Amino acid sequence: MRLLLKSHLACKNFPLRVQERIIEGLLWLSAVITILITAAIIWVLLSESVSFFSEVSIIDFLTDKEWTPLFAQKHFGILPLVAGTLLTTAIAIAVALPIGLTIAVYLNEYAPGRFKQTVKPLLEILATIPTVVYGFFALTVVTPFLQKIIPTLAGFNALSAGIVMGIMIIPMISSLSEDAISAVPRSLREAAYGMGSTRLQTAFGVMVPAASSGIVVSVILAISRAVGETMIVAIAAGQQPRLTLDPTVPIETITTYIVQVSLGDVPHGSLEYRTIFAAGITLFIFTFALNNLSFWIKKKYQEKYD
Amino acid sequence: MSKKPYKLEARNLNAFYGGFHALKDINIAMEEKAVTAFIGPSGCGKSTFLRTLNRMNDYIDGFRVEGDILLDGRDIYGKDVRVDELRKEVGMVFQKPNPFPKTIFENVVYGLKIQGIKDKKVLTEAAERSLRQTALWEEVKDKMDKSALALSGGQQQRLCIARALAISPSVILMDEPTSALDPISTAKIEELIYELKNDYTIVIVTHNMQQAGRVSDQTAFFYMGELVEYAKTKTMFTSPKHERTQNYITGRFG
């Protein structure tokens, strides 16, 4: 209050109302610029996709089982790329969900307060490692290790990329889930203990279900992150679009394909060039839907347990 | 009235939160199938003492007790005591109704389910029995699969009592069970306490003098971590021995 008064006095000759208007205008401008940029990106995606779909039928795009836009025999079926994306994402979630949730429960229910305060930020460091480092880790450490167990494993494969991606998103799930479990009223924990529950029964019978909306949101955000992840899969999963659920062979994700074409020598404005926009909009629809779903779940169930 | 055996006993009990001496040398013996009320101003240690009776303070960092608490003559802080088993014997009802965010049925049978009882018939019967005991059955029998959170505050609290009864404890601890409720719900809970003492040993913490007078057989007055006076409720309310007790129950402080 005092500061405000001071600055007011300092610009005595400058009417307060004009000052207010300028600040208001600047704030408005920054908000509008953000929205405009988003709108512009969507516009570019849409317009390029429209011209792509004027040449390739959307039915072929969604049903053709091959994706070979760079070959002489061109096929434009997005399914192999979608399958590659979903496969690596599924492996990542299969790794991250059990580990992340276990960590969240451990930190909340078992770990002493000081331990939790140390470990949680440490875990979040995992999220700050550049993804290119994770990519090389997958290719040069995890794949050779896995090849000792599965000799038929290809040098580039979905398994190793998925596992490493899973490690990358553990902190996302553990941290957000831990927040959700912490937010469950203490009275519920006391009720569970008061009924003779063990710690394990309290954690999985009462706390986790009560925090389920927050946990689901954390998983959806993690899925969204995994779907959009580029570097790890580009380095370790291969560049061979293939409609398969076999995690041991090279595949290609939507993101990897976009990288491949962007870095290649495909002429601007060609049909091959426009494929990346079609792939991009597919990816955008996935992540947009997931983020909205998490937003909706959060809104619908958040206050339920208060 | 014949002398009833002691159900719960504290001997030279001291409790500490870190360096804070919360309970000072408490000696008290509570009768079986009777209601004992703990009264006293906020921060006097009555809730802390109640929570030592089922070791609910175990999870608080820096909390420790010295001395003994005997349940049927057995020290509940003994090394061989499993705290989850203890709490099946000593149930608890809290200040704010805290049903689980589950259905009414799931709430009542929670304690049985965690003991591994899966038989649907056993669970259904136990649920009905406990809900009848708390006079809630008629109100909820048609909506057993609805969320417990949809009930009114008073109904939720009776559901929490039913939930505690379902695992057949012998002692029920109540920590200001009506402080969040309206007068009508409060009256229902008090009636219920009166009924329950035929089968259970009840210990209740209350801020409400009239409530202590209405429901309890024995009253203990705590002040600054000490047990100042412990007597038959009638005696305490008509002729308290200590001046501090007199001042408190007549509303001169606290």
Side-chain angles (χ1 to χ4, degrees):
Chain A
M1 198 60 213
R2 211 156 155 198
L3 259 173
L4 265 175
L5 218 65
K6 241 184 179 170
S7 71
H8 181 191
L9 289 175
C11 2
K12 223 191 297 182
N13 302 326
F14 203 59
L16 186 63
R17 267 181 61 192
V18 175
Q19 223 183 330
E20 284 277 321
R21 290 287 289 274
I22 292 174
I23 290 172
E24 209 181 300
L26 282 174
L27 293 176
W28 181 83
L29 201 68
S30 1
V32 167
I33 287 175
T34 317
I35 295 170
L36 280 181
I37 291 174
T38 314
I41 291 174
I42 295 174
W43 170 250
V44 171
L45 267 181
L46 273 177
S47 61
E48 295 282 348
S49 304
V50 165
S51 53
F52 172 80
F53 285 117
S54 66
E55 287 178 62
V56 175
S57 103
I58 199 158
I59 295 165
D60 280 351
F61 183 72
L62 293 177
T63 57
D64 198 324
K65 291 188 179 65
E66 274 181 78
W67 178 262
T68 54
L70 307 178
F71 294 177
Q73 183 70 35
K74 290 191 195 321
H75 283 278
F76 296 99
I78 193 77
L79 283 179
L81 296 186
V82 171
T85 301
L86 294 184
L87 180 60
T88 49
T89 301
I91 295 168
I93 297 299
V95 170
L97 179 59
I99 299 178
L101 196 56
T102 309
I103 292 173
V105 166
Y106 174 75
L107 287 181
N108 201 278
E109 215 62 38
Y110 294 85
R114 273 178 65 191
F115 182 76
K116 172 174 156 182
Q117 278 158 22
T118 324
V119 166
K120 220 179 155 190
L122 278 180
L123 264 173
E124 279 158 17
I125 289 179
L126 272 182
T128 66
I129 297 174
T131 53
V132 67
V133 175
Y134 278 113
F136 267 99
F137 178 66
L139 185 66
T140 60
V141 179
V142 179
T143 298
F145 173 75
L146 287 175
Q147 277 169 333
K148 284 180 193 153
I149 307 166
I150 315 166
T152 58
L153 190 70
F156 295 102
N157 61 79
L159 185 62
S160 141
I163 290 173
V164 171
M165 204 149 82
I167 295 170
M168 182 189 71
I169 58 178
I170 285 172
M172 225 171 152
I173 293 185
S174 67
S175 196
L176 291 174
S177 297
E178 204 278 322
D179 289 346
I181 298 174
S182 294
V184 174
R186 212 182 70 151
S187 62
L188 277 188
R189 175 185 279 119
E190 291 198 324
Y193 281 137
M195 297 293 299
S197 307
T198 61
R199 286 184 175 216
L200 198 68
Q201 286 165 335
T202 306
F204 287 100
V206 175
M207 303 303 279
V208 168
S212 57
S213 68
I215 292 170
V216 169
V217 166
S218 82
V219 173
I220 292 174
L221 290 178
I223 293 174
S224 179
R225 177 81 179 76
V227 166
E229 171 50 34
T230 308
M231 244 14 234
I232 298 175
V233 283
I235 293 173
Q239 300 191 344
Q240 297 178 25
R242 197 187 299 240
L243 186 56
T244 177
L245 289 178
D246 180 358
T248 64
V249 294
I251 48 101
E252 181 162 49
T253 66
I254 302 174
T255 51
T256 307
Y257 174 75
I258 296 174
V259 171
Q260 185 191 354
V261 172
S262 308
L263 297 180
D265 45 10
V266 173
H268 273 230
S270 64
L271 180 62
E272 291 86 338
Y273 172 75
R274 288 201 193 98
T275 55
I276 64 174
F277 292 95
I281 203 157
T282 311
L283 190 62
F284 175 70
I285 289 169
F286 270 107
T287 50
F288 184 76
L290 285 168
N291 285 359
N292 274 289
L293 183 65
S294 77
F295 185 73
W296 179 79
I297 290 176
K298 214 172 178 174
K299 216 172 163 191
K300 184 150 193 272
Y301 296 102
Q302 199 170 35
E303 241 99 53
K304 205 172 149 190
Y305 304 120
D306 289 68
Chain B
M1 201 167 73
S2 67
K3 185 99 176 125
K4 293 173 180 173
Y6 292 130
K7 181 75 184 174
L8 269 168
E9 234 181 308
R11 286 187 191 157
N12 306 324
L13 186 83
N14 285 279
F16 306 84
Y17 292 108
F20 175 66
H21 198 169
L23 290 173
K24 295 168 192 163
D25 204 31
I26 307 290
N27 283 285
I28 189 171
M30 288 165 265
E31 285 174 0
E32 187 166 24
K33 294 183 183 174
V35 179
T36 305
F38 293 171
I39 60 170
S42 296
C44 68
K46 59 190 188 304
S47 278
T48 301
F49 182 48
L50 188 80
R51 284 162 169 262
T52 58
L53 298 177
N54 69 343
R55 296 182 51 175
M56 212 58 187
N57 288 327
D58 279 18
Y59 301 107
I60 295 175
D61 280 340
F63 182 83
R64 69 196 160 85
V65 291
E66 287 166 7
D68 301 322
I69 290 180
L70 307 177
L71 172 67
D72 296 320
R74 191 164 156 239
D75 184 12
I76 64 166
Y77 280 90
K79 278 210 175 80
D80 57 331
V81 172
R82 277 187 54 183
V83 71
D84 48 320
E85 297 296 332
L86 166 73
R87 294 190 187 129
K88 286 167 191 162
E89 192 63 27
V90 184
M92 190 161 196
V93 176
F94 298 84
Q95 189 170 353
K96 215 180 126 211
N98 55 357
F100 298 121
K102 299 173 189 270
T103 64
I104 294 172
F105 179 77
E106 287 297 327
N107 263 280
V108 187
V109 302
Y110 175 85
L112 297 169
K113 276 198 166 171
I114 60 168
Q115 293 179 26
I117 298 169
K118 290 196 187 80
D119 189 337
K120 186 88 183 159
K121 195 163 160 261
V122 176
L123 294 177
T124 315
E125 281 172 8
E128 182 175 342
R129 191 173 54 246
S130 321
L131 288 168
R132 279 189 192 283
Q133 270 181 293
T134 55
L136 201 57
W137 175 248
E138 292 302 324
E139 292 163 54
V140 302
K141 64 178 179 190
D142 298 322
K143 44 181 179 180
M144 294 292 279
D145 56 350
K146 294 269 161 36
S147 169
L149 301 178
L151 296 173
S152 74
Q155 288 175 323
Q156 286 189 11
Q157 193 63 303
R158 278 185 286 151
L159 178 65
C160 290
I161 297 175
R163 181 176 69 183
L165 296 180
I167 53 173
S168 335
S170 57
V171 179
I172 300 171
L173 308 177
M174 298 184 169
D175 191 359
E176 299 182 43
T178 62
S179 65
L181 304 181
D182 64 83
I184 295 170
S185 304
T186 299
K188 280 187 182 163
I189 303 269
E190 286 182 8
E191 250 172 68
L192 182 57
I193 293 171
Y194 200 79
E195 292 283 317
L196 290 176
K197 76 169 179 182
N198 293 323
D199 301 301
Y200 305 90
T201 304
I202 295 172
V203 186
I204 178 172
V205 164
T206 179
H207 268 294
N208 181 330
M209 284 317 107
Q210 286 80 22
Q211 184 167 69
R214 281 192 298 265
V215 303
S216 71
D217 302 300
Q218 304 273 330
T219 299
F221 173 62
F222 289 82
Y223 185 72
M224 304 273 282
E226 285 175 43
L227 175 60
V228 177
E229 191 165 348
Y230 177 50
K232 276 214 161 67
T233 302
K234 259 187 207 150
T235 320
M236 181 165 321
F237 277 80
T238 49
S239 51
K241 279 202 195 75
H242 295 262
E243 200 189 334
R244 234 190 257 291
T245 318
Q246 164 109 35
N247 287 346
Y248 183 72
I249 59 183
T250 53
R252 237 171 277 168
F253 85 102

